[in-house]
Every structure is written in C-alpha cells, then in structure tokens.
Amino acid sequence: MQLILGIESSCDETGVALVRLPTDGSLPQLLAHGLYSQIEMHRAYGGVVPELASRDHIRRVLPLTRQVLQQADVALSDIDVVAFTRGPGLAGALLVGAGVACALGAALSKPVLGVHHLEGHLLSPFLSADAPEFPFVALLVSGGHTQLMRVDGVGRYTILGETIDDAAGEAFDKSAKLLGLPYPGGPELSKLALDGDPKAFKLPRPLLHSGDLDFSFAGLKTAVLTQANKLGADLELRKADLAASTQAAIVEVLVKKTLAALQQTGMQRLVVAGGVGANRLLREQLNQACAQRGIRVHYPELHLCTDNGAMIAMAAAMRIQAGQQTPDTRYAFDVKPRWPLDSITVER
Ligand code: KG4
Ligand code: ZN
C-alpha cells in the first residue's frame, strides 16, 4: 500500500488530496480531499488574474494539506509519493504546486511525480462508485480544452477531434460575460437558461456537419454579441432566452460530435470529464441519446467535475499502478503551461 498526496494549482482552485494505492491491483481509493476556490476573488475582475491566483495558491496550499492529513488521520511522514499538476495551466500558479510538492518531497526524502492536468480530468470518473472500464470514448470539456478522445487504457490516449479555437467552457464564459453574468459564466448561464426558451434565437452550430470530430466555438460569441446588440434595451427582458439558445447551441454540437465519435470507433462506453461536464442539459441529452443506443455513460461525481486535487492524486496512482511513471527524487521540477495530452501517450 502506498499513500499519494496530490496537489492541484493550475488555475483558480487549490486542491489537495490523499489517495491510497493498494498492492492487489485494485483501484486506488480516495481517503480525503480539500479544495479552496478563488472564484470570489477573481469575480471582481471578470476572469482569472494569474498573479493573484499564484499568490493565493501560496496562502492556501499548506493549510489545505494539513486539513487533508488530519481528515485522513495520516502523518506527513506516512506519505509515500507527492504528486502535483505539472501542466497545462498558468505558469506561476503551476510553479506554486510544483515548488511545494518538491519541497515536501525533499524534506521527507520521498519521491515526487508531475501529473498532466487533463489526464487528471480524464481519469476522475475512476473515483466514483460507478467506475468505467477501458476502452472508452472520452469527451473532455473544460475551460481551456475541448477534445474527443479514444482511451484504450491508462496512458493510451488518441485524440479524435478537438476545438480549432475556443473551448466549450470558454464559449460558456465569454457568452455569459456578454450577457452581464458574473465569472465563471458556465454555471451562471445554465442557471439563467432554465427560465428561457432554447429556440428563441437561431445561433450557429459551427462545424456541425464538417464530417470530422473537430469543434469551433469562437463564432458563437460573435453571434451572441450581434443578437445582444440587436436587442439593445430589450436585452434585459430576453436574457434568459438568449442564454438558453446559447447553451442549446453549445450542447447540440457537443452531443452530435460525441455520438459520431462513438459510432466511428464502435465503442459502447463514454466518459465525460472537465468542468462543462457538470452542465445539466449536456448530461440530460447525452444520457438520453446514449440510452437509446445502449451506450453506458460515466461522469465524475459532480463536485469532482471542476478542478480538484483528488483527480491529480488519482492520475498519479493509476500511472504508478500501470508501471508507466516512476516518481523520482531529483526535485528538479519544471512546469509545462502548454502540454498536449497525446504527448504523454505510452507506446504499445
Ligand atoms: O475543468 P475546469 O474546472 O477548469 C479547467 O481545467 O479549465 O472547467 C472550468 C469550466 C469553466 O469554463 C466553467 O464555466 C465551466 O467549466 N463550467 C460549466 C458548468 N460548470 C462549470 N459550464 C457549463 N455548465 C456548468 N454547469
Ligand atoms: Zn481543469
């Protein structure tokens, strides 16, 4: 049995978690996790301010670590591996997690391991009671990424399609900003959409019939802006309708392309991960479409859809278990603000 501490600090959430890696080959178990969201702090600026994010990670990471250890009733010296998010993300924010992880490792003479943030999201459904089995198609929808992937096992990722411009979360956030909603816009926009008519406005579904599995969301915010300008003073009255129409456009493209990916690969299993995976309409439509086709859908637990430390500790544990990554004691950390997920694919 090994105890793995995971630290996430790539953006505006500080997450720390402790995972137990059993020796019998069974799935790693989450013992405790703690999260501090900086959303309130960044809200005043309408988005994440990288420098403020870094400074706040510094303030939160050690108290959170103490809290998690206490919750799990584990001593610092019991930790076997310290895992941290190595990228992608904000450079300064990543350096906080990497620096703290390496300092902890050096002080405890324990090895450290850098984790890919998106692999964390991708493997986060393995933390839920209804864990998936390999292989599956994954729809990874976060604030910075939108990708369809074929996942044949831990470290075996093939990108089937991805956004050529904005991510789905970005489309939610930017459209929400145009509607005057607070940051982060995704949850706010979907809340407002509950009171609106999704058919009220005709908005573009970019690349819907492109024949490939790529996405494009940059044009959508322009269309939302055009509609908002056209409405002028009436925007206040029609805001919920515009929010509902925007959400419907994003979700329709995500659902159609995901179904195409399932059909193309012939897979019977789908994993949805990343912040936008918390979206209710997306879940409803995917569940319905997949039920009709006999496809099983797996999500991370709702509170583990957005950034957290549990997924980082879990990804580290699964990589170690698969024999694909060995924690080391060089402590010569470097972070990777840009880091394509398929670059960490393990050769067969
Ligand atoms: O995965 P995540 O926490 O951070 C990144 O790695 O980017 O995703 C954050 C994104 C934001 O764009 C946020 O607006 C979006 O996920 N999001 C949602 C919902 N909850 C979070 N978008 C739509 N509906 C939601 N319920
Ligand atoms: Zn994320």
Side-chain angles (χ1 to χ4, degrees):
M1 195 266 290
Q2 285 190 74
L3 287 178
I4 298 168
L5 185 78
I7 300 175
E8 154 65 28
S9 71
S10 67
C11 189
D12 58 352
E13 250 103 33
T14 320
V16 179
L18 201 61
V19 157
R20 195 173 70 95
L21 173 58
T23 35
D24 63 1
S26 59
L27 270 182
Q29 300 291 321
L30 181 63
L31 296 183
H33 86 111
L35 190 70
Y36 183 85
S37 172
Q38 305 176 353
I39 282 175
E40 287 303 326
M41 183 181 74
H42 295 296
R43 193 163 271 164
Y45 307 92
V48 179
V49 184
E51 178 65 23
L52 294 183
S54 314
R55 294 181 193 192
D56 207 52
H57 286 305
I58 293 175
R59 276 192 288 271
R60 310 291 171 190
V61 65
L62 289 178
L64 266 180
T65 304
R66 276 189 209 103
Q67 179 193 315
V68 164
L69 291 171
Q70 205 168 24
Q71 252 176 48
D73 197 18
V74 162
L76 202 51
S77 53
D78 294 336
I79 293 170
D80 296 295
V81 178
V82 186
F84 62 95
T85 306
R86 190 176 174 204
L90 304 169
L94 289 167
L95 281 168
V96 175
V100 167
C102 289
L104 271 178
L108 298 167
S109 300
K110 296 291 165 64
V112 298
L113 191 142
V115 172
H116 196 294
H117 180 83
L118 295 179
E119 184 170 42
H121 276 302
L122 193 63
L123 300 177
S124 62
F126 286 92
L127 287 160
S128 67
D130 180 32
E133 276 169 34
F134 296 111
F136 52 76
V137 165
L139 171 66
L140 198 63
V141 269
S142 71
H145 293 83
T146 299
Q147 293 178 329
L148 276 164
M149 246 171 302
R150 185 195 159 101
V151 178
D152 288 287
V154 180
R156 302 194 197 288
Y157 315 128
T158 313
I159 294 179
L160 302 170
E162 63 190 325
T163 184
I164 58 167
D165 42 53
D166 288 356
E170 229 172 327
F172 268 106
D173 293 342
K174 287 179 176 170
S175 304
K177 205 169 181 179
L178 292 172
L179 297 179
L181 299 173
Y183 174 84
E188 297 287 338
L189 188 140
S190 58
K191 216 187 295 165
L192 182 62
L194 289 173
D195 302 321
D197 173 8
K199 294 202 173 79
F201 296 98
K202 265 205 163 60
L203 295 173
R205 267 74 168 154
L207 302 189
L208 189 60
H209 302 293
S210 60
D212 58 23
L213 298 172
D214 287 339
F215 303 88
S216 165
F217 290 109
L220 188 63
K221 63 173 187 290
T222 314
V224 173
L225 180 64
T226 307
Q227 277 298 344
N229 287 341
K230 244 195 246 172
L231 285 167
D234 288 338
L235 175 62
E236 244 352 271
L237 287 171
R238 306 291 310 280
K239 228 164 146 172
D241 284 343
L242 192 47
S245 303
T246 306
Q247 177 176 244
I250 300 171
V251 167
E252 184 183 340
V253 181
L254 291 176
V255 171
K256 292 244 164 88
K257 295 267 172 167
T258 304
L259 293 175
L262 285 159
Q263 196 177 24
Q264 200 173 299
T265 54
M267 292 216 185
Q268 295 294 309
R269 204 178 283 278
L270 172 67
V271 158
V272 184
V276 183
N279 185 269
R280 212 161 96 182
L281 184 72
L282 177 66
R283 285 188 176 214
E284 277 168 16
Q285 293 202 2
L286 281 176
N287 287 348
Q288 196 185 10
C290 289
Q292 284 167 356
R293 292 163 177 78
I295 291 163
R296 289 282 315 269
V297 194
H298 298 263
Y299 303 92
E301 288 182 41
L302 214 48
H303 68 287
L304 298 179
C305 270
T306 42
D307 295 348
N308 62 83
M311 67 184 199
I312 300 306
M314 185 64 172
M318 290 180 77
R319 278 247 161 187
I320 294 169
Q321 193 171 41
Q324 290 174 353
Q325 235 174 309
T326 312
D328 66 67
T329 50
R330 286 174 294 139
Y331 310 121
F333 61 92
D334 62 338
V335 295
K336 293 184 168 238
R338 289 176 185 278
W339 194 12
L341 182 59
D342 49 356
S343 71
I344 62 165
T345 289
V346 175
E347 295 301 324
R348 278 164 199 274

